[in-house]
Amino acid sequence: MRNLLLFLLLFLPTTFCISQPYKEAGSAFKDTDGNPINAHGGGVLYHNGTYYWYGEIKRGKTHKVPGSTWENYRVNAGGVSCYTSNDLKKWKFSGVVLPANKTDKTSDLHISKVIERPKVIYNKKTKQFVMWMHIDSEDYAYARSGVAVSNSPTGPFKYLGSERPNGNMARDMTVFVDDDGKAYHFYSSEENATMHIALLTDDYLKHTTTDKRILIGLSREAPAVFKYQKKYYLISSGCTGWSPNEANYAVADDILGEWKAYGNPCLGKDADKTYYAQSTFVLPIPGKSGKYIFMADQWNKLDLEKSKYLWLPLTINSRGIPEIKPN
Ligand code: GLA
């Protein structure tokens, strides 16, 4: 009995501290004003003790793209939002950090375009915050990567333009900064059949010609990348549009080396459908080695504004395998 009490005293607080953030956030996902958080396909930057959650603003009526042969549901591009938190539980709306353009139809950011999966990284050398995002036309033929920059994490971000990295199509994406300060852009390319990893320039604003093809022909999207004990992990979804499918994890010893795709990191009920969600980011919990939050989107394709979020604990087991468990 005494041992049990001691165990509870020693270990319960740690368990509680680790598990609380994502459970609390998962149950509410309202900002501190009580409004639903509008930050889809997002990612979190941890900078100087504050978490910044950036994501797509999806607001307004969902429509089907005329003439599309598949389930092509869209909502007007709403720009990129930012929410800030010190504890991953209370999120304060910190503004539209990159607004959509309402007047210029030729702009990449025009409301008729697609602005998806924005991710922000901090460049220690230039002291700038760099946002990369997927820019597309409504029919997804444009397939480019856009970049914006700001001196402050809460913007405003200045849009610099878009490109096809090294001439390649680029859709779903993420960016990852390695321990040596080098940043890499992971993007679904070649009609989403093959993922690419491009090394960014030192200022993170452009692509270098170092561009590696990985997961060739495996048709993966929604990439989320993290590093654990010198190994690189990439979680991705299959390509079934807004509809859920099975996630997969891949591992590499060298970020530009050989990536091997293994299997589904999700466990338990509905693991084959990623719990009706799709990966967007893996957030390391500061100070908790091997503990992460798996951030995912539960899309509502007929009413995209009503899409929800699912945040689950992700841990690495003793064999180096990532495990995501439902709450
Ligand atoms: C997938 C992508 C999303 C979005 C939709 C569009 O789910 O991961 O970012 O592009 O397709 O159908």
Side-chain angles (χ1 to χ4, degrees):
M1 187 64 190
R2 244 188 87 180
N3 283 349
L4 179 68
L5 268 179
L6 195 66
F7 173 85
L8 287 176
L9 271 175
L10 280 177
F11 290 103
L12 267 192
T14 8
T15 321
F16 189 66
C17 288
I18 298 165
S19 61
Q20 201 183 23
Y22 43 80
K23 280 195 178 153
E24 288 261 327
S27 57
F29 287 116
K30 295 236 169 107
D31 67 15
T32 47
D33 296 325
N35 298 316
I37 289 183
N38 202 331
H40 308 275
V44 171
L45 170 73
Y46 183 62
H47 183 74
N48 287 346
T50 300
Y51 298 93
Y52 298 87
W53 175 359
Y54 303 90
E56 307 155 16
I57 301 173
K58 296 210 175 297
R59 183 163 292 134
K61 209 170 152 18
T62 296
H63 60 275
K64 198 167 176 186
V65 176
S68 64
T69 49
W70 56 296
E71 287 187 333
N72 216 348
Y73 295 97
R74 298 280 171 271
V75 68
N76 279 354
V80 178
S81 59
C82 176
Y83 294 81
T84 52
S85 175
N86 294 321
D87 57 8
L88 295 171
K89 289 183 271 177
K90 293 190 291 299
W91 291 97
K92 184 177 175 310
F93 178 56
S94 298
V96 178
V97 292
L98 185 72
N101 180 310
K102 290 201 175 117
T103 49
D104 178 7
K105 279 196 171 163
T106 65
S107 163
D108 276 0
L109 305 180
H110 188 252
I111 48 171
S112 60
K113 297 275 196 335
V114 166
I115 305 172
E116 286 182 340
R117 298 189 178 270
K119 302 287 176 299
V120 174
I121 48 180
Y122 177 64
N123 189 308
K124 281 187 187 156
K125 279 192 198 149
T126 63
K127 300 197 168 29
Q128 288 192 310
F129 297 84
V130 179
M131 178 191 295
W132 280 93
M133 70 211 95
H134 169 203
I135 296 287
D136 228 317
S137 46
E138 206 176 48
D139 61 2
Y140 272 65
Y142 198 41
R144 292 166 82 93
S145 305
V147 62
V149 70
S150 171
N151 292 324
S152 152
T154 49
F157 280 79
K158 183 173 180 257
Y159 188 68
L160 302 178
S162 67
E163 62 184 6
R164 281 193 167 187
N166 293 302
N168 302 314
M169 295 177 98
R171 295 201 181 108
D172 274 16
M173 52 139 279
T174 194
V175 275
F176 174 77
V177 181
D178 208 345
D179 301 328
D180 59 5
K182 287 193 168 134
Y184 300 84
H185 182 204
F186 287 66
Y187 61 98
S188 302
S189 192
E190 306 176 31
E191 292 293 3
N192 295 346
T194 294
M195 187 85 64
H196 282 231
I197 308 174
L199 172 67
L200 295 176
T201 50
D202 285 351
D203 58 10
Y204 300 172
L205 299 179
K206 288 204 162 63
H207 295 90
T208 67
T209 51
T210 301
D211 193 306
K212 163 106 186 169
R213 299 173 75 220
I214 65 160
L215 310 183
I216 296 166
L218 295 186
S219 295
R220 309 303 302 174
E221 59 182 4
V225 178
F226 60 99
K227 187 179 186 181
Y228 175 67
Q229 290 188 347
K230 298 197 179 140
K231 283 193 191 296
Y232 299 87
Y233 291 80
L234 163 62
I235 298 198
S236 63
S237 76
C239 290
T240 54
W242 304 113
S243 305
N245 54 51
E246 189 171 296
N248 177 275
Y249 75 94
V251 186
D253 290 325
D254 175 346
I255 195 159
L256 291 170
E258 291 314 306
W259 282 83
K260 191 166 183 295
Y262 287 90
N264 187 359
C266 299
L267 304 173
K269 190 171 180 296
D270 300 324
D272 59 336
K273 291 272 182 274
T274 318
Y275 323 107
Y276 296 92
Q278 185 185 29
S279 47
T280 185
F281 199 74
V282 172
L283 173 64
I285 303 181
K288 307 272 180 212
S289 172
K291 308 246 181 253
Y292 302 83
I293 297 173
F294 172 72
M295 293 170 54
D297 294 285
Q298 277 181 331
W299 301 116
N300 180 335
K301 66 180 176 191
L302 299 179
D303 189 351
L304 286 161
E305 183 175 348
K306 295 235 167 72
S307 298
K308 290 183 182 153
Y309 315 95
L310 180 72
W311 289 21
L312 293 175
L314 183 156
T315 51
I316 310 288
N317 74 15
S318 57
R319 287 177 294 139
I321 298 170
E323 293 182 337
I324 301 168
K325 290 178 191 147
N327 277 326

